């Protein structure tokens, strides 16, 4: 019965031949150098350093730049969409919000005067003065909803005085303030402030109401005011960027 070689008894070839450790190390280096990359373990392959920049194909650079331009273009489009010059804004007492909405729908749907807004729909979180300035200067006409509640609200008094002063101080805003007595709970003429009596008011209950609306809300006037509004905003932007 032959004696088999035991794995535990086997000695390295270099030791069994009596080679020195230095010779063995040299041969090991030569063998490692002679090995093909496919024979080496994966962890022995050179990996790029985290700090080494990885080259990006030229096409990808252009794609990233194009994407950036697209995002900038989309942001500009969003800004333009948000900046809409309204045809009218309705200033009203807090208790007359429903009546103001009815008048808004009447002008927009029955007479095609749009877009319009009521003061209650102005962005929340802003100061009232900022909203009032944006409403008056961001629309062609300012409608004052004259109801019994209008004079009870101190804020409404301030609104109509400010609107009148704005129309006097700005030439393109001349005749842009329109008092209106709606069907429900209108303010009697004798109780209307003197400053508003000098302006012909829209009388919703009169037979000539449709003719009044057509005569006041003319598209040509709106186009002129819209053009001036755009020029003003462009001038402000240039001053900010300068």
């Amino acid at each position: 019965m032959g004696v088999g070689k035991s794995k535990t008894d086997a000695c390295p070839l270099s030791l069994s031949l009596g080679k020195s450790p230095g010779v063995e190390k040299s041969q090991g280096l030569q063998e490692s150098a002679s090995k093909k990359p496919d024979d080496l373990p994966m962890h022995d392959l050179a990996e790029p350093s985290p700090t080494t920049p990885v080259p990006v194909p030229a096409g990808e650079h252009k794609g990233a730049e194009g994407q950036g331009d697209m995002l900038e273009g989309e942001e500009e489009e969003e800004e333009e969409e948000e900046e809409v010059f309204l045809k009218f804004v309705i200033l009203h007492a807090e208790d007359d919000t429903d009546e103001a909405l009815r008048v808004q729908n009447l002008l927009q749907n029955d007479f095609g005067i749009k877009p319009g807004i009521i003061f209650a729909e102005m962005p929340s979180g802003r100061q009232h003065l900022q909203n009032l300035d944006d409403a008056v200067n961001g629309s062609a006409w300012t409608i004052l909803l004259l109801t019994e509640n209008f004079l009870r609200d101190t804020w409404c008094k301030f609104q109509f005085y400010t609107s009148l002063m704005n129309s006097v101080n700005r030439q393109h805003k001349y005749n842009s303030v329109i008092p209106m007595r709606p069907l429900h709970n209108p303010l009697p003429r004798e109780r209307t402030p003197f400053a508003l009596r000098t302006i012909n008011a829209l009388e919703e209950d009169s037979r000539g109401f449709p003719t009044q609306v057509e005569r006041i809300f003319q598209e040509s006037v709106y186009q002129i005011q819209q053009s001036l509004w755009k020029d003003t905003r462009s001038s402000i932007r240039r001053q900010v960027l300068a």
Side-chain angles (χ1 to χ4, degrees):
M1 185 172 181
V3 178
K5 294 182 179 180
S6 172
K7 291 184 180 180
T8 57
D9 295 336
C11 294
L13 183 60
S14 60
L15 295 180
S16 62
L17 297 177
K19 293 183 180 180
S20 65
V23 175
E24 179 185 4
K25 181 177 180 181
S26 176
Q27 290 180 346
L29 292 174
Q30 293 177 359
E31 292 176 359
S32 298
S34 63
K35 287 184 180 180
K36 296 180 181 180
D38 295 339
D39 298 333
L40 296 175
M42 293 299 294
H43 60 76
D44 289 339
L45 296 177
E47 297 181 356
S49 172
T51 58
T52 303
V54 179
V56 180
E60 294 187 10
H61 278 298
K62 292 181 180 179
E65 292 176 359
Q67 186 177 6
D69 294 339
M70 290 177 61
L71 292 175
E72 291 179 1
E74 291 176 358
E75 291 177 357
E76 292 179 358
E77 290 179 0
E78 289 179 359
E79 290 180 359
E80 291 179 358
E81 290 177 358
E82 292 176 359
E83 297 175 357
V84 177
F85 186 68
L86 302 170
K87 288 200 170 181
F88 67 86
V89 60
I90 301 177
L91 304 184
H92 57 87
E94 185 176 355
D95 294 337
D96 291 332
T97 300
D98 291 339
E99 185 69 358
L101 284 171
R102 186 189 64 79
V103 173
Q104 178 192 20
N105 293 331
L106 172 70
L107 295 176
Q108 291 192 134
N109 300 331
D110 293 2
F111 294 95
I113 305 171
K114 54 180 143 182
I117 195 174
I118 69 172
F119 191 77
E121 292 178 334
M122 294 297 292
S124 59
R126 291 184 184 175
Q127 294 183 355
H128 287 306
L129 289 178
Q130 180 64 48
N131 272 341
L132 179 60
D133 182 73
D134 291 344
V136 172
N137 294 316
S139 60
W141 292 279
T142 303
I143 300 175
L144 304 178
L145 200 64
L146 300 181
T147 66
E148 290 282 0
N149 298 321
F150 191 81
L151 293 182
R152 298 173 188 167
D153 196 330
T154 305
W155 170 241
C156 286
K157 294 180 181 179
F158 179 81
Q159 285 179 330
F160 88 75
Y161 278 121
T162 302
S163 302
L164 288 177
M165 290 301 298
N166 186 68
S167 66
V168 171
N169 293 329
R170 300 189 177 189
Q171 186 176 0
H172 69 282
K173 284 292 184 180
Y174 183 70
N175 283 340
S176 63
V177 178
I178 313 298
M180 178 177 175
R181 292 186 180 87
L183 287 177
H184 306 122
N185 198 26
L187 181 69
R189 292 181 182 84
E190 60 273 12
R191 293 180 53 205
T192 302
F194 178 77
L196 295 179
R197 290 187 205 177
T198 59
I199 306 173
N200 291 328
L202 274 172
E203 307 282 350
E204 191 178 358
D205 62 348
S206 68
R207 290 183 297 177
F209 177 72
T211 304
Q212 281 184 299
V213 171
E214 292 177 4
R215 187 177 68 250
I216 292 173
F217 300 99
Q218 297 182 18
E219 184 66 22
S220 59
V221 177
Y222 170 76
Q223 294 293 341
I224 292 173
Q225 290 209 29
Q226 184 186 43
S227 178
L228 292 171
W229 175 77
K230 288 181 177 179
D231 291 343
T232 302
R233 295 186 71 85
S234 298
S235 177
I236 293 174
R237 285 175 181 167
R238 286 194 295 268
Q239 292 176 3
V240 172
L241 295 176

